[in-house]
Amino acid sequence: MTQNPFLAPYTTPHQTAPFDKIKNEDYLPALNDGLAQGRKDVDIIVNNAAKPTFENTIVALERSGDLLGKVTSVLFNLNSAETTPELQKIVKEASPLLSEYGNDITLNEKLFGRIKAVYDQRASLKLDPESAMLLEKSYKRFSRNGANLDAKGKERLRAIDKELSQLSLQFGENVLNETNEYVMFVTDEKDLAGLPDFAKEAAKATAKQKGKEGWAFTLQAPSYGPFMQYADNRELRKKLYMAFNGRGFHGDKNDNSGIIQKMVNLRYERANLLGYKTHADFVLEESMAGSKNKVQSFLDELVTYARPAAEKQLAELTAYAKAHGFTEDKLQAWDSSYYSEKLKKEKYDLDDETLKPYFKLENVLNGVFTVANKLYGITFKERKDIPVYNSEVKTFDVFDKDGKFLAVFYGDYFPRPGKRSGAWMNDVQGQKVENGQNVRPHIINVCNFTRPTDTKPSLLTFYEVTTLFHEFGHGLHGMLANGKYESLSGTNVPRDFVELPSQVMENWCYDPEALKLFAKHYQTGEVIPNELIEKIRASQNFLAGLANLRQLRFGLVDMYYHGQKPTGESVSEVENKVDSVANLFPRVEGVAFSPAFSHIFAGGYSAGYYSYKWSEVLDADAFEFFKEKGGLDNKTAADSFRKNVLEKGGSEKPMELYKKFRGREPSPKAMLRRSGLIL
């Protein structure tokens, strides 16, 4: 009988996960062993006859459950990036077990008693800042998750958590099913008028793959986006728009409306049970923003800047459309990308077709590595002997400026049926110091970019370029982590601080010096001309009011669901309320974005979606500092950012880390200036 790969030390390079050896039947036995081992670790802490100390209680708890972490990191990474019906079934079985295990720990009275005993004497312990933060977080992990509840309350909390974990998984599966099941076949070439060759070529390849003649368009971003931008056929644009924005909203087996109602109600009940007024009050207590009222005011204030700009921009877009044959009174949502692309081309003589030849995926990847090297001195060396879960995944060793090994980096860049849409960063192994050894992290970036075709390599849109830089910024937060405790390391920071490193990296996509490092024509090798760089920079704020309003709309809907007692209103009623403030396009029956809003219903952003805008305030302010200090060639800002933000993770309060980096608190003026919302 072959050994379960999870149950033996990994013999792969850097002890990376042996994806090539792990089989579906390995997960549950290893998971059950991990749960048993974790419980045993906790029993040893609880039954320790010695009085509770920071080491024998707090650090011991931090170090518990290693095997469990080993199994779940692989399982949940693959469930997002390479899932199958069998894997989904395993995750469904595992989730309640993990939820119960988590509750067994946080609701363990004896364990909490020991933690509280250490916490109560914190003033006399003389802990370093990172250890003091671990103690505070450990105490709050318990006190904020039911440790002070009576037996009946604890039982109810367990039931809620179990149900929420299952609903969240179901929500994600439904969105994936809807995304994968829909295909729009086109057989008449006339219906492809306006589409560039790359989009037609990709659609032909998709149809062929599905055994059909003609062209196939899907709801995956590299197929959906170009169709909405370029296709002259308005009816087909509408058809695809309705399919994309109707995901999870068809009253069938994949419908998410009921799941949303249940989750919102359960989150509210859970918050009440724990002594909080709403789910948002519970979540935001531990955020950089600090309170629901502060977040609501922040979003409302940004709307006052964004909406007037958006109204002006929509009027300009409508006038342009009417001058080019549009005959209706108002533009619909499925007209927006189409006419925006044409207006952008006219205003700036710039479109994705002009830019894409300069953004071959391999060059952009090399570019982000070069930018990281110039800023932080790190280097990337591709390896072919690290096991991967799909042959398309690339792997790299990452070295520091002194040649010391820093991390393993995995890059997974193309859509597949088993991969959820969007882009994200994860780790398969976190960073920590254990037994005197600095255990280095294994970091994954997962994206869904335009695939190569028979005649062209993968050429990215500018939006895809910024996405790659964004996710790589999260990756740097993981790769450069340098803390003692894994639970405080890397991206384990408050939700409204986690987007700072990613959004800072995006800024380099608009920087002439950085662009010239990697934007080279895939056929001629010509470096992107200055004139094109100027057009990219000039167009950076193109329709920024509308773009800002769109992001604020998502944040406001999130707060509407989670910042008050559930109203019982339908998904459409909730969105209508918010749309009266934050959407300028006519409401369309039969569509809603909430049922596919995975960030807040299948991810960790509930009552936290505002953090993208919050982090924009931080990143614009931070990037001004990089530029003040001389950009890529001056290490002052980069050294400070690495030392005070990227290496520190969640080891100190975010505002303190930001002030150490910047020398002061952030100002929103930089973000408003950058967006063209103020002068």
Side-chain angles (χ1 to χ4, degrees):
M1 193 175 135
T2 55
Q3 166 85 47
N4 188 319
F6 288 117
L7 303 181
Y10 294 161
T11 54
T12 46
H14 307 301
Q15 289 78 56
T16 45
F19 289 112
D20 54 339
K21 303 268 193 306
I22 296 166
K23 298 182 181 65
N24 282 343
E25 53 268 29
D26 296 325
Y27 288 109
L28 288 171
L31 184 92
N32 283 317
D33 278 17
L35 291 168
Q37 186 213 74
R39 288 190 165 98
K40 198 170 157 193
D41 292 343
V42 169
D43 285 345
I44 290 168
I45 299 168
V46 167
N47 297 318
N48 190 338
K51 74 181 183 66
T53 66
F54 179 73
E55 284 298 325
N56 73 19
T57 301
I58 307 300
V59 175
L61 182 61
E62 168 73 11
R63 304 279 186 242
S64 68
D66 270 0
L67 173 59
L68 193 58
K70 199 170 162 184
V71 180
T72 54
S73 65
V74 171
L75 177 61
F76 286 101
N77 269 299
L78 289 191
N79 193 46
S80 295
E82 188 79 352
T83 199
T84 59
E86 298 77 43
L87 202 63
Q88 288 176 341
K89 200 163 163 261
I90 291 163
V91 170
K92 269 193 174 149
E93 213 172 313
S95 270
L97 298 176
L98 290 165
S99 173
E100 190 182 348
Y101 170 80
N103 282 328
D104 282 349
I105 291 176
T106 52
L107 301 178
N108 184 316
E109 284 175 35
K110 283 186 179 170
L111 181 58
F112 181 54
R114 288 186 70 91
I115 290 166
K116 191 172 182 311
V118 180
Y119 184 72
D120 287 345
Q121 47 174 318
R122 62 194 179 282
S124 62
L125 293 178
K126 297 188 174 55
L127 298 173
D128 62 76
E130 194 174 348
S131 298
M133 179 60 84
L134 182 69
L135 175 56
E136 185 185 325
K137 290 263 177 173
S138 302
Y139 176 75
K140 283 184 172 174
R141 175 187 164 195
F142 283 72
S143 63
R144 280 171 49 80
N145 285 291
N148 293 314
L149 293 175
D150 61 17
K152 194 179 165 197
K154 286 178 178 174
E155 195 184 325
R156 180 60 192 142
L157 188 76
R158 283 176 185 276
I160 291 172
D161 285 348
K162 189 173 177 180
E163 193 174 353
L164 278 171
S165 75
Q166 288 166 326
L167 289 168
S168 176
L169 277 175
Q170 190 61 55
F171 185 99
E173 274 181 33
N174 291 349
V175 176
L176 186 67
N177 291 341
E178 292 271 90
T179 305
N180 285 340
E181 284 166 14
Y182 183 86
V183 189
M184 181 175 81
F185 288 106
V186 174
T187 49
D188 188 341
E189 194 158 3
K190 289 207 291 288
D191 289 331
L192 305 180
L195 280 177
D197 289 344
F198 84 87
K200 290 194 271 197
E201 211 176 319
K204 202 165 192 59
T206 305
K208 192 176 169 188
Q209 203 186 343
K210 295 180 183 296
K212 300 273 191 179
E213 289 295 310
W215 300 265
F217 296 90
T218 71
L219 302 182
Q220 298 284 3
S223 178
Y224 176 76
F227 196 91
M228 298 308 291
Q229 267 177 306
Y230 297 110
D232 294 338
N233 188 319
R234 189 173 184 236
E235 276 310 302
L236 289 183
R237 284 203 314 269
K238 178 181 178 181
K239 186 178 176 185
L240 207 57
Y241 171 89
M242 296 297 287
F244 186 85
N245 292 280
R247 288 176 302 164
F249 197 54
H250 294 125
D252 58 8
K253 66 180 180 3
N254 292 326
D255 194 274
N256 275 335
S257 306
I259 290 179
I260 289 173
Q261 299 282 10
K262 279 186 198 160
M263 288 184 79
V264 167
N265 281 308
L266 286 167
R267 284 169 173 171
Y268 177 75
E269 185 190 346
R270 187 183 194 281
N272 284 178
L273 195 57
L274 295 168
Y276 295 86
K277 214 167 159 190
T278 68
H279 179 65
D281 287 295
F282 170 75
V283 170
L284 295 168
E285 180 183 64
E286 286 299 284
S287 69
M288 198 173 174
S291 76
K292 179 180 72 181
N293 292 344
K294 193 157 180 190
V295 168
Q296 194 65 50
S297 304
F298 171 72
L299 293 172
D300 292 343
E301 186 186 356
L302 288 185
V303 168
T304 66
Y305 287 104
R307 188 172 172 119
E311 284 168 346
K312 216 179 283 179
Q313 288 159 6
L314 184 57
E316 183 190 9
L317 193 61
T318 307
Y320 172 82
K322 286 181 175 174
H324 291 78
F326 184 72
T327 54
E328 292 183 21
D329 184 34
K330 288 182 173 177
L331 288 176
Q332 296 289 342
W334 50 87
D335 301 314
S336 170
S337 293
Y338 178 73
Y339 285 109
S340 297
E341 189 63 24
K342 288 190 165 0
L343 177 59
K344 186 176 177 184
K345 172 84 173 155
E346 188 167 297
K347 274 184 102 158
Y348 306 103
D349 190 23
L350 187 72
D351 60 9
D352 275 333
E353 280 316 279
T354 312
L355 291 176
K356 283 177 78 166
Y358 293 96
F359 296 132
K360 181 179 165 185
L361 171 63
E362 290 76 6
N363 291 349
V364 179
L365 194 56
N366 192 41
V368 84
F369 290 167
T370 308
V371 168
N373 174 260
K374 281 184 165 287
L375 291 170
Y376 309 114
I378 61 178
T379 51
F380 292 76
K381 188 174 178 210
E382 187 165 7
R383 290 190 73 142
K384 303 286 188 186
D385 58 342
I386 289 176
V388 289
Y389 52 86
N390 185 291
S391 59
E392 293 181 334
V393 178
K394 295 171 179 290
T395 59
F396 302 85
D397 278 348
V398 189
F399 300 99
D400 210 341
K401 47 180 165 270
D402 58 3
K404 211 155 70 186
F405 172 73
L406 262 184
V408 174
F409 177 67
Y410 299 78
D412 178 3
Y413 294 111
F414 302 120
R416 297 182 294 271
K419 186 195 275 193
R420 66 177 168 87
S421 56
W424 61 94
M425 166 265 178
N426 258 333
D427 61 36
V428 191
Q429 175 174 292
Q431 182 273 329
K432 60 186 172 185
V433 174
E434 202 162 67
N435 304 324
Q437 187 199 350
N438 195 328
V439 178
R440 298 311 302 165
H442 303 164
I443 302 298
I444 299 189
N445 272 179
V446 187
C447 304
N448 283 277
F449 294 150
T450 309
R451 278 187 171 281
T453 64
D454 292 342
T455 61
K456 288 191 184 80
S458 171
L459 300 175
L460 306 189
T461 65
F462 189 68
Y463 176 76
E464 288 175 327
V465 173
T466 59
T467 300
L468 188 147
F469 270 69
H470 178 102
E471 296 308 332
F472 189 80
H474 285 309
L476 285 172
H477 207 175
M479 289 182 265
L480 295 175
N482 200 24
K484 290 195 285 191
Y485 309 113
E486 188 175 354
S487 67
L488 300 178
S489 175
T491 54
N492 289 313
V493 299
R495 183 60 73 198
D496 52 8
F497 194 59
V498 80
E499 296 299 333
L500 170 62
S502 55
Q503 290 178 193
V504 160
M505 276 306 283
E506 279 187 56
N507 286 278
W508 295 107
C509 300
Y510 297 91
D511 184 75
E513 193 188 352
L515 274 168
K516 288 189 171 191
L517 295 171
F518 66 90
K520 294 172 183 170
H521 198 286
Y522 79 101
Q523 285 165 316
T524 65
E526 174 209 11
V527 174
I528 191 166
N530 288 333
E531 153 201 15
L532 270 186
I533 294 177
E534 279 318 304
K535 287 174 180 177
I536 288 172
R537 287 161 66 79
S539 66
Q540 186 176 0
N541 286 335
F542 177 62
L543 303 184
L546 282 165
N548 271 285
L549 201 59
R550 179 178 177 272
Q551 278 289 82
L552 292 167
R553 181 187 182 213
F554 292 150
L556 287 164
V557 159
D558 177 23
M559 290 305 288
Y560 195 93
Y561 282 127
H562 297 119
Q564 61 183 329
K565 183 178 181 183
T567 57
E569 290 165 294
S570 69
V571 162
S572 297
E573 286 167 332
V574 170
E575 292 190 13
N576 279 335
K577 282 254 173 74
V578 170
D579 283 357
S580 65
V581 177
N583 181 25
L584 302 179
F585 289 98
R587 184 86 189 135
V588 181
E589 285 306 311
V591 299
F593 67 87
S594 299
F597 197 175
S598 297
H599 271 81
I600 68 169
F601 293 116
Y605 277 81
S606 62
Y609 199 83
Y610 76 93
S611 59
Y612 283 101
K613 296 310 292 176
W614 185 273
S615 295
E616 267 186 58
V617 168
L618 300 179
D619 92 72
D621 189 64
F623 196 68
E624 279 196 356
F625 188 52
F626 274 91
K627 297 307 282 179
E628 279 165 25
K629 295 294 176 195
L632 279 175
D633 291 325
N634 186 311
K635 294 285 185 290
T636 311
D639 287 349
S640 181
F641 195 68
R642 176 173 178 170
K643 184 178 141 206
N644 295 305
V645 176
L646 297 174
E647 290 185 355
K648 285 287 198 290
S651 61
E652 292 178 48
K653 299 262 188 233
M655 189 59 87
E656 293 312 306
L657 292 175
Y658 190 86
K659 285 194 294 194
K660 283 180 183 176
F661 153 65
R662 186 69 164 103
R664 59 162 173 76
E665 289 200 1
S667 156
K669 293 276 169 46
M671 189 271 280
L672 294 168
R673 269 196 297 275
R674 186 178 65 188
S675 299
L677 300 178
I678 62 168
L679 294 174

